[in-house]
Every structure is written in C-alpha cells, then in structure tokens.
Amino acid sequence: MNTLKTNIMKTLMTTFFAAFIFVSVSAFTKAENKSSRLATADNSINLYIETITNGNVENMDALFGSQFIQNTNANGKVISHSKAQIIGFLKGQKNVKQNCSATYTVMEQSDDYSIAKVEMKYRDFTKVDYVTLSKEGADWKVNQVVTTYK
C-alpha cells in the first residue's frame, strides 16, 4: 500500500512539475512574441499599416507612444488628434479593411529614431502619412503622424 502511495505521489509531483514548466515556457514565449512585434522600426511600421488599413487593433496601445499626436492637413488647416482620440477611432474600425494598397519608404533612420513615408493608394486619391518613430526601451513606438492627401 505504501508503495502505491509513493508511486502516486511521484506521478503527481512529476505531472505538477511538467505542468509548471509548460506554463512557464508558454508565458515566456508569449511575452517574447509580443515584444518582438515592436522590436524593429520596420516591424512597428508594418503594424501601423496593418492597424490603419486592415483594422488590426491588437497591440495598438503598445504601438503608439505616450506623447503620440496626429496632425492632418485639411483644407489649409491643421487638425490635431491625441493618442486617446486615435485609439478610440481605430477601435471603431476594428477589422474594417481599407480598399487601398499601402507601401512605405524609410526616409531617415538612426539607432533610436526613424521617419517613414507611408502611402495608401485608393482609387481616387492617395493618403500620405509621415510616421515618426523612436525607440522606447526595447520597442519602437509611433510618436507622431503627419497626414496629407494627394
């Protein structure tokens, strides 16, 4: 009987230990995958494009820096929007796919700062976003977007 109890205890301990390792590895992998999404300026620009053109709102809070601002030139006026305003708008656009093609060009890049020109070509016009990113810790964050139309 004691041998049976000992075997059951060993089995339970082994199962518990295996489950603990599995949960630990899973948590580490998820944390690593989330941060690696913003680990380069190119990754952050691609996530920005996915967010704007495909309504991908996952990780958008992490994408925009705390001091984010968007300025849009419309009819000779500059209209500014805060991070909270843009996030609120984009959450309303969840999974809405824009009918456009998007490309980007890195205009300037250093170890901790980047400026990219993102062009979204629609049928009758082109939206151009000049996206400024900076490195905050291990992540690249979008700090400012200046939008124009052609």
Side-chain angles (χ1 to χ4, degrees):
M1 185 81 160
N2 282 339
T3 308
L4 180 61
K5 285 183 182 179
T6 304
N7 285 341
I8 290 172
M9 287 300 289
K10 284 182 182 179
T11 302
L12 286 173
M13 290 301 288
T14 303
T15 303
F16 175 75
F17 185 68
F20 176 75
I21 290 174
F22 177 76
V23 169
S24 297
V25 168
S26 295
F28 178 75
T29 303
K30 283 182 183 177
E32 190 171 300
N33 286 342
K34 185 176 181 181
S35 67
S36 67
R37 186 77 167 131
L38 302 174
T40 67
D42 284 333
N43 286 356
S44 293
I45 293 167
N46 282 316
L47 181 57
Y48 173 78
I49 291 170
E50 286 177 31
T51 300
I52 301 300
T53 63
N54 294 324
N56 177 5
V57 297
E58 188 178 323
N59 297 322
M60 118 176 114
D61 289 330
L63 175 64
F64 297 108
S66 60
Q67 301 299 315
F68 173 82
I69 189 162
Q70 179 169 359
N71 295 312
T72 303
N73 184 2
N75 299 324
K77 293 181 183 178
V78 175
I79 301 169
S80 297
H81 295 96
S82 68
K83 177 180 178 177
Q85 291 171 316
I86 293 299
I87 286 178
F89 171 77
L90 291 172
K91 283 183 178 177
Q93 302 298 308
K94 182 178 181 177
N95 297 324
V96 173
K97 299 195 184 312
Q98 300 289 317
N99 187 17
C100 68
S101 62
T103 59
Y104 76 91
T105 306
V106 175
M107 300 172 62
E108 191 71 36
Q109 174 116 16
S110 69
D111 290 341
D112 56 0
Y113 187 78
S114 182
I115 300 172
K117 179 181 181 182
V118 178
E119 292 186 289
M120 290 161 268
K121 295 184 182 191
Y122 296 83
R123 187 176 66 165
D124 296 327
F125 67 94
T126 300
K127 177 183 175 192
V128 180
D129 285 348
Y130 295 94
V131 180
T132 304
L133 303 102
S134 65
K135 195 164 186 186
E136 295 180 17
D139 293 337
W140 282 85
K141 306 269 185 161
V142 175
N143 294 315
Q144 182 177 20
V145 174
V146 176
T147 301
T148 62
Y149 296 90
K150 325 190 223 186

